[in-house]
Amino acid sequence: MAEWQRTHTCGQLREEHVGRTVTLNGWVLITRTYGNQVFADVRDRYGLTQVVFEADAADLFGQGKELGREWVVSVTGTVRKRLPGAERTDIPTGAVEVEAKELRVLNPCPPLPFSVTEFPDEEVPNEDLRLQYRYLDLRRRSLQRVLGLRHRLCKTIRDHMDANDFLEVETPLLGKSTPEGARDYLVPSRVFNGEFFALPQSPQLYKQLLMVSGYDRYFQIAKCLRDEDLRADRQPEFTQLDVEMSFVEQDDVLALLEGLALRIFRECVGVEVPTPFPRYSYAEVMAKYGSDKPDLRFGLEIVDVSDLAKESSFAVFADAVAGGGVVRAVNVKGAAAKFSNTALKPGGELPKVAETYKAKGLAWMKAEAGKLTGSIEKFFPDELKARLKERLGVADGDLLLFVADQEAVVSAALGGLRTHLAQSLKLYRNWWDEKAEHDEGEKKKADAAKKRKEAYTPVPFRVRPEHFNFLWVVDFPMFGWDDEEKRWAAIHHPFTAPRDEDLPHLESDAGKVRAKAYDLVLNGYEVAGGSIRIHRQEVQSRVFALLGMSAEDAKARFGFLLDALKSGAPPHGGIALGLDRWCMLLAGTTNIRDVIAFPKNQRARDLMTGAPAPVEGRQLKELGVKLS
């Protein structure tokens, strides 16, 4: 071993190491000079150790004074106890320090574009600058903790799947373009000019073929790519746990995922989540919560009042019901005084939210002094008001919000309002917000103890099971009508199996057909989704035909799959878990870019490398590609 190489990491030294000669490698976080001493905090990804340069070693003392932030150093010295009162209780190495005997500067560092120290008084620089210098941004302790969590998450998954007899099998990145709900990233072929590979949106077809091949328990931590519009919880390339199982039904897949979730939360964040997770039908969550990924950490259930509304003299309600629509309402408990009439009238805060989801307007009433008041109160006679109050559980101080339209519009509008109201009224708290408050309180206690010259060990924040709300959504509709294309489209993907009892409706009434599909929802995020697959060739052909695919087109695009399904395909099903999204929720952030080492920005651009970027003309010529 070279004389400058470390004997210990910067997070390893404890009181039992006192008196030992050690060598540390790392980056200088900060230096402090006091008369006859220089203190340097040296860190690596394992932790931080204080190094002391004493004035009686003049040359070494001078070298210590020259150190700058982020210099890469090797320090050899003797471990000693810190002076009483100088200990740090917030770091594991806080009881000791290293008295430097030799310093080697392995690489000095000029001033950086931004600080990576994350001191409390420092503002985090803007995201684009951090993504441009991502190799520096990744030095921040918060990101190092997140990537450590991501490593533990992947290891836990692999351990659990291996213990349940799954094989990890890699599938190709270069494949054929297939319809999976988003645009493909295409790769031109140099050998076959004018033809293209597609990068995988998921390993869907390959994992089904593995079931046909007899590999009855497959998993893969797979990279997937989709050319779609981005948002805070979506990236063009993402990672998912991909799972497929043979000879199973829906309950088997759900039980596997619940066991995995239990182990992930236990081993990664120390929380015992209760299982089994509750199950709701798609129809139920859309009616009650207006979303197929509802957050149930708060109430605000949507209630159907169509039968009462049509008895009123309010023409908007009556016309909506007569036209096959619905009238539904939300009782926002105790919120009557929290929203002014201006915020409720057209152009106000809440109507704008409803209109975002194509609602034509928002009706409202307030419960005040035993009476209902508001925009539509006069259209309801007293007897009807009494029935409405009973239906909605109304008490003084409540705010009632109504939307009338076709069912899909009403569900979306009230679902959006439900989420908006929960955020604005603070009806739930994310665990990381609680942690921030807790940590601030512990810091104040530690500072106060320090002034009194007393020792205080901060109490760490612990996440609790109630911070995480899991549920399953099952029995999705298999098809949705595409108004633009004037045809049926698959809600999940065209390989999802219909429920057996709904097969007779496949050609006669496709809108009635429910799929053997299921999504796992956590705190309002879809974190996993899957289905039991079609394993019989004749059923798959019927589905392709319903989707407007001719027999010739189906054979050209999926001939290999149709052939496989009639070659002894077992019943099979699976699920995919969004690894980035899980890590995001476990780490306590709402930005998926925080949990990916080298993410793209909101416009799908890599600001660090400059990708995507133009290529040389000769490369395009070899590929047979001409730019318009």
Side-chain angles (χ1 to χ4, degrees):
M1 185 173 76
E3 59 183 8
W4 57 265
Q5 286 185 287
R6 69 186 177 197
T7 59
H8 298 77
T9 71
C10 294
Q12 198 170 357
L13 299 180
R14 303 289 188 273
E15 287 189 75
E16 61 263 29
H17 295 100
V18 169
R20 293 180 61 174
T21 297
V22 300
T23 298
L24 304 178
N25 298 162
W27 287 260
V28 176
L29 181 72
I30 194 172
T31 60
R32 306 173 299 281
T33 301
Y34 300 98
N36 59 354
Q37 288 180 315
V38 174
F39 295 90
D41 290 343
V42 179
R43 72 161 203 286
D44 56 18
R45 76 175 178 89
Y46 304 95
L48 177 149
T49 298
Q50 178 171 279
V51 176
V52 186
F53 299 87
E54 301 283 2
D56 55 8
D59 289 346
L60 199 58
F61 181 73
Q63 291 178 49
K65 291 173 68 175
E66 295 297 318
L67 290 175
R69 286 191 181 189
E70 299 306 303
W71 285 29
V72 185
V73 297
S74 172
V75 179
T76 299
T78 305
V79 182
R80 68 187 192 188
K81 291 187 67 172
R82 292 199 190 200
L83 293 175
E87 301 94 340
R88 285 184 62 178
T89 57
D90 59 330
I91 58 174
T93 61
V96 299
E97 61 191 14
V98 173
E99 181 183 353
K101 301 299 183 183
E102 189 171 0
L103 170 68
R104 301 174 184 85
V105 176
L106 303 178
N107 208 340
C109 182
L112 299 180
F114 56 86
S115 173
V116 300
T117 51
E118 292 191 308
F119 291 137
D121 58 343
E122 291 179 336
E123 287 190 16
V124 178
N126 74 73
E127 187 179 52
D128 278 356
L129 181 63
R130 289 187 286 113
L131 291 179
Q132 182 181 352
Y133 296 96
R134 187 63 165 182
Y135 51 88
L136 297 177
D137 195 37
L138 287 170
R139 290 185 191 174
R140 293 192 293 129
R141 292 295 295 161
S142 58
L143 281 180
Q144 290 181 343
R145 284 193 292 269
V146 167
L147 292 185
L149 171 64
R150 187 180 177 113
H151 161 78
R152 293 195 302 277
L153 173 60
C154 291
K155 183 180 184 301
T156 300
I157 287 170
R158 285 192 162 98
D159 289 347
H160 187 79
M161 302 306 283
D162 180 66
N164 283 275
D165 296 325
F166 282 80
L167 293 176
E168 185 168 12
V169 182
E170 295 178 354
T171 54
L173 289 176
L174 296 175
K176 187 176 183 179
S177 180
T178 59
E180 294 197 38
R183 288 181 295 271
D184 289 320
Y185 279 104
L186 300 176
V187 180
S189 169
R190 178 186 60 80
V191 178
F192 302 100
N193 277 187
E195 298 184 16
F196 295 81
F197 294 105
L199 300 179
Q201 293 186 34
S202 78
Q204 180 62 47
L205 294 177
Y206 290 109
K207 66 181 182 181
Q208 287 191 247
L209 294 174
L210 283 170
M211 297 303 102
V212 179
S213 302
Y215 295 84
D216 67 316
R217 290 197 157 210
Y218 143 93
F219 86 98
Q220 181 182 187
I221 296 180
K223 186 67 74 176
C224 305
L225 301 103
R226 295 180 184 177
D227 185 7
E228 56 188 353
D229 296 332
L230 304 188
R231 58 190 185 212
D233 65 340
R234 181 184 287 169
Q235 279 277 288
E237 53 180 318
F238 59 95
T239 307
Q240 70 181 35
L241 167 64
D242 204 48
V243 178
E244 199 76 7
M245 307 160 67
S246 292
F247 306 109
V248 294
E249 295 183 334
Q250 176 175 289
D251 287 352
D252 302 302
V253 181
L254 271 53
L256 173 81
L257 252 290
E258 288 182 3
L260 176 59
L262 187 68
R263 185 164 178 175
I264 286 172
F265 273 80
R266 178 185 297 147
E267 297 187 8
C268 293
V269 292
V271 170
E272 292 287 329
V273 294
T275 56
F277 302 149
R279 299 183 190 182
Y280 298 84
S281 71
Y282 172 86
E284 184 179 7
V285 295
M286 292 304 293
K288 283 187 175 182
Y289 308 109
S291 171
D292 61 359
K293 48 181 184 296
D295 191 338
L296 301 192
R297 289 176 295 171
F298 55 93
L300 289 183
E301 283 193 10
I302 300 167
V303 179
D304 194 295
V305 294
S306 301
D307 57 328
L308 303 180
K310 71 180 181 181
E311 294 182 33
S312 73
S313 58
F314 188 40
V316 172
F317 284 0
D319 292 347
V321 177
V326 296
V327 182
R328 291 178 180 166
V330 169
N331 180 1
V332 192
K333 303 296 292 182
K338 296 178 181 178
F339 292 95
S340 67
N341 290 358
T342 301
L344 295 166
K345 289 178 179 178
E349 175 190 346
L350 298 187
K352 282 183 178 178
V353 175
E355 290 163 11
T356 301
Y357 298 90
K358 300 182 180 180
K360 299 179 181 69
L362 179 70
W364 58 275
M365 286 193 272
K366 291 182 177 181
E368 299 172 311
K371 298 180 179 180
L372 291 179
T373 63
S375 66
I376 59 171
E377 172 269 334
K378 62 186 178 184
F379 299 106
F380 285 73
D382 289 344
E383 184 271 338
L384 195 56
K385 287 178 189 173
R387 290 161 59 196
L388 187 66
K389 289 171 71 174
E390 182 180 4
R391 176 80 57 88
L392 295 174
V394 176
D396 273 359
D398 291 351
L399 171 65
L400 312 181
L401 302 175
F402 302 82
V403 175
D405 211 308
Q406 295 303 303
E407 184 173 14
V409 173
V410 172
S411 290
L414 287 177
L417 273 168
R418 180 177 177 271
T419 301
H420 176 85
L421 289 164
Q423 292 171 346
S424 63
L425 298 175
K426 296 180 170 54
L427 300 183
Y428 67 91
R429 301 189 71 200
N430 290 310
W431 69 261
W432 51 88
D433 295 324
E434 285 190 31
K435 182 179 184 300
E437 289 183 13
H438 171 91
D439 291 349
E440 180 62 27
E442 290 299 300
K443 182 179 182 300
K444 288 179 180 178
K445 292 177 184 177
D447 290 343
K450 189 173 183 180
K451 287 180 181 178
R452 298 191 303 267
K453 296 184 178 179
E454 297 173 358
Y456 181 78
T457 302
V459 177
F461 178 81
R462 295 189 67 84
V463 292
R464 304 183 300 277
E466 58 265 31
H467 287 129
F468 304 98
N469 182 269
F470 280 102
L471 66 126
W472 288 106
V473 178
V474 299
D475 294 343
F476 281 81
M478 188 155 174
F479 306 103
W481 182 256
D482 188 326
D483 281 327
E484 289 187 10
E485 298 287 333
K486 304 299 180 187
R487 64 177 179 84
W488 292 104
I491 295 292
H492 277 69
H493 54 63
F495 318 113
T496 299
R499 289 182 63 90
D500 297 340
E501 62 269 32
D502 293 344
L503 262 175
H505 303 303
L506 202 56
E507 286 82 11
S508 61
D509 193 351
K512 283 186 177 180
V513 180
R514 294 165 297 166
K516 294 181 180 179
Y518 32 82
D519 281 355
L520 181 61
V521 178
L522 170 59
N523 293 357
Y525 288 92
E526 178 196 331
V527 293
S531 65
I532 300 300
R533 323 301 186 189
I534 297 170
H535 73 280
R536 300 204 312 270
Q537 187 265 348
E538 68 276 12
V539 176
Q540 187 66 74
S541 294
R542 289 171 66 189
V543 169
F544 283 158
L546 179 66
L547 297 174
M549 204 179 300
S550 68
E552 294 76 15
D553 192 22
K555 184 170 179 59
R557 299 177 70 179
F558 299 107
F560 62 95
L561 175 65
L562 294 171
D563 287 344
L565 293 181
K566 64 183 180 183
S567 301
H572 59 282
I575 196 164
L577 177 156
L579 196 80
D580 308 298
R581 201 168 286 177
W582 275 71
C583 193
M584 180 182 79
L585 293 169
L586 292 171
T589 177
T590 56
N591 188 342
I592 206 166
R593 293 183 289 278
D594 290 341
V595 301
I596 298 172
F598 297 101
K600 307 294 187 292
N601 73 355
Q602 291 182 348
R603 299 183 63 196
R605 182 174 289 280
D606 183 341
L607 296 179
M608 185 180 67
T609 66
V615 297
E616 295 181 8
R618 63 177 179 80
Q619 292 175 279
L620 296 176
K621 186 176 181 180
E622 287 178 346
L623 294 169
V625 173
K626 292 183 180 180
L627 298 180
S628 57

